[in-house]
Amino acid sequence: MPPRLKDVAARAGVSIKTVSNVVNGFAHVAPDTRARVQAAIDALGYVPNPTARRLRGGGSGVIALAVPELRSPYFAELAGLIVRSAEPRGWTVLIEQTDGRAGRERDLVAGLRRHAVDGLILSPVGLDPSMMGRDRLPTVLLGERMRGGPADHVAIDGAAAAADATRHLLRLGHRRIAAIGGPARPSAVTRAQRLAGFRAAHAESGLAVDPRLVATVSGMHLADGAAAMAWLLDCNPEPPDAVFCFTDPLALGAIRTCADRWLDVPGDIAVIGFDGIDEGRYSTPSLSTVAPDTARIAQFAVDLLAERLGGGSAATVPPRAICVEHRLVARESTLGRPSRAA
Amino acid sequence: MPPRLKDVAARAGVSIKTVSNVVNGFAHVAPDTRARVQAAIDALGYVPNPTARRLRGGGSGVIALAVPELRSPYFAELAGLIVRSAEPRGWTVLIEQTDGRAGRERDLVAGLRRHAVDGLILSPVGLDPSMMGRDRLPTVLLGERMRGGPADHVAIDGAAAAADATRHLLRLGHRRIAAIGGPARPSAVTRAQRLAGFRAAHAESGLAVDPRLVATVSGMHLADGAAAMAWLLDCNPEPPDAVFCFTDPLALGAIRTCADRWLDVPGDIAVIGFDGIDEGRYSTPSLSTVAPDTARIAQFAVDLLAERLGGGSAATVPPRAICVEHRLVARESTLGRPSRAA
């Protein structure tokens, strides 16, 4: 007869619950306890049985992740991190691209899609709280929208991060600072928050924001940033001396337009983005940015969903809102290159 | 009573099959016929019923797309295009990241995952034909691996594309051409094909490939390209005058290392990549590359799968292999910047 959970518990001198926590990859087990349990698992040749585990839980072992678009490097990185965070639990993650459509997001939350999934991690764009009924999939919401809504929620403080990016430019002495990524519709909460942070940092310094320096964009991609930068340069007799872009791809596109106009970054115009994607580390100039702790967002999303699916007392607590940290990453696009002699 | 398919057919003066083809988004309907059917649909207020359609077909209306990693911009772009190509058919696309693991790919093909999907589009890495049994999901394979295998297949000619990239460098007068992306394992078919094309172009010109100029990498990302470029510069007393990188991220990483060493691209070293991702259009310098027709790959993948799922005679034909075109895109990283006066 193969060894069972209770054999492992007896050998390790811990409770069955603790062994289960280790096997299920939960974080809140002390490292030495975890090591003792793992040693007992190895010694006995215990093999956790995910199928039995799922049947016991009544679940499929499959969760869905829905993001607006995979073409965005930020969401592609986030998706990869969520897949990795879900792996120790034996979960399969199915990813769906919503294009930000409210109807699609609503159907996902309601579990109306035909495939059987246990839960959902959703980065909503069009959805609003009224569209989330009582009878729905266990759901964790990501991103700055719908904080304080009807479901668990993980996000950074977008306004604070935007203010940090703007303060960085102000501290470097810039005074005509443009913004690329302004909201085209009032419902674009994420963008509106970033714009609010941009304005707040100006207000702190007693500066007004010149409305001609706020560029609205339809998308958040490289091409949108390149076009918005061209618009800023063409429409302002006095060009900006710095630009805060609401995503890193917008910033990389803006830098390309500067190169096309033979403007030096940051000598003529300093540029900072928002995302912390890998591409910004390797661009020329490398890109200053504010970076959410994306790995932590992924881990929280999976852990919160696991608690909802776990069926214990944690499954019924009121919706929780987790605010994840961000950090300012200053690179060449604001600081300049180290001199050649260095 | 709501209008039915046959009412639309009668009004448009076409067969029910033709209306069905239009409603299902199949490509092989003449534009004027399609317009006539659409006019009848609009006039009658006919609403196709996807649920009924799925029940009739016995399918779930859900297909799976499995790619090695979403972090790669090429696969992220491809995934977005496949979602878009599947939309006119009313299909939901679930995306899974395999990390290139053979076991995971095998389980997907066998339909062993618990969720019900009708078919699979898979970009295999570890899988080999012996792992694909008779009893499996309808599958379309993508990428240069497993051509001529047991399932429908869509890819470009990787060796030919690599030869085109190399010839471009040779035509520009480069003679010490390095390659970044060489296979670390013999099973890395895609990389081996690109290396073969690189060698073939050299052979055509009567040139030998210097083995110290072929850099093997463990991954195909920005960081791998940056490290490989540093290795090439450190280990070769005479540096290369050009580099062909087997992906665009490798090339962008290599360019960053050149910037760190104060080497001008392309003045000191010309660089060309492989992928045609959007990032290469906006980098500084903009990136020369060979670009697969990714939109066409996506469309073929969906169309081939639809034929397999359609249940007609097309569902039982032997596996087909589609070779999609690529094109050379020459930009600043090989041609240099236009002069400022221009």
Side-chain angles (χ1 to χ4, degrees), chain A residues 252 255 278-287 332, chain B residues 252 256 284:
Chain A
L252 294 170
I255 288 174
D278 219 25
E279 280 76 359
R281 290 177 59 187
Y282 292 93
S283 62
T284 310
S286 57
L287 182 64
E332 292 168 359
Chain B
L252 294 170
R256 178 64 226 188
T284 309

Side-chain angles (χ1 to χ4, degrees), chain B residues 32-52:
Chain B
D32 59 324
T33 309
R34 185 180 296 275
R36 214 158 69 234
V37 170
Q38 194 56 54
I41 288 173
D42 294 343
L44 294 171
Y46 171 74
V47 179
N49 182 340
T51 307

Side-chain angles (χ1 to χ4, degrees), chain B residues 44-327:
Chain B
L44 294 171
Y46 171 74
V47 179
N49 182 340
T51 307
R53 223 158 67 214
R54 282 169 201 168
L55 288 175
R56 213 161 46 232
S60 62
V62 179
I63 66 164
L65 166 67
V67 296
E69 49 179 6
L70 287 163
R71 206 183 127 203
S72 146
Y74 175 76
F75 286 117
E77 273 188 33
L78 181 65
L81 289 166
I82 286 176
V83 169
R84 197 168 310 155
S85 296
E87 198 167 85
R89 298 181 188 277
W91 289 356
T92 298
V93 181
L94 300 176
I95 302 162
E96 190 161 347
Q97 177 168 291
T98 62
D99 295 324
R101 292 187 215 165
R104 198 175 284 197
E105 293 174 354
R106 185 194 55 220
D107 289 355
L108 280 163
V109 170
L112 283 185
R113 301 278 167 172
R114 200 72 74 72
H115 48 277
V117 298
D118 297 338
L120 172 68
I121 299 173
L122 168 68
S123 180
V125 175
L127 196 72
D128 73 59
S130 70
M131 297 163 122
M132 297 185 69
R134 283 195 151 265
D135 185 27
R136 59 171 165 82
L137 277 181
T139 299
V140 175
L141 299 171
L142 303 183
E144 290 103 313
R145 279 186 64 91
M146 291 190 64
R147 191 190 303 276
D152 290 335
H153 184 274
V154 185
I156 60 163
D157 183 336
D164 284 347
T166 310
R167 277 186 212 112
H168 173 65
L169 298 173
L170 289 165
R171 269 197 303 270
L172 291 169
H174 301 293
R175 287 299 173 267
R176 280 186 61 74
I177 306 178
I180 292 181
R185 291 165 297 122
S187 62
V189 175
T190 305
R191 298 193 203 181
Q193 284 178 357
R194 293 180 189 179
L195 188 58
F198 176 75
R199 289 188 192 285
H202 277 80
E204 283 167 12
S205 299
L207 292 169
V209 170
D210 180 346
R212 285 168 308 177
L213 292 183
V214 176
T216 297
V217 292
S218 55
M220 304 295 258
H221 298 291
L222 293 155
D224 304 299
M229 190 74 224
W231 178 85
L232 284 171
L233 294 171
D234 291 340
C235 297
N236 283 285
E238 190 192 345
D241 54 16
V243 186
F244 165 44
C245 301
F246 292 7
T247 69
D248 281 354
L250 286 175
L252 294 170
I255 288 174
R256 178 64 226 188
T257 294
C258 292
D260 290 342
R261 306 286 182 106
W262 298 90
L263 294 167
D264 181 63
V265 176
D268 297 309
I269 301 185
V271 177
I272 188 167
F274 191 119
D275 276 344
I277 60 173
D278 219 24
E279 280 76 358
R281 290 177 58 185
Y282 292 93
S283 62
T284 309
S286 56
L287 181 63
S288 299
T289 189
V290 275
D293 187 339
T294 317
R296 183 160 284 207
I297 291 173
Q299 190 63 54
F300 267 121
V302 168
D303 289 349
L304 288 176
L305 190 57
E307 287 183 19
R308 292 289 170 192
L309 299 177
S313 57
T316 54
V317 298
R320 295 157 293 184
I322 306 279
C323 187
V324 171
E325 306 227 321
H326 62 268
R327 67 196 171 90

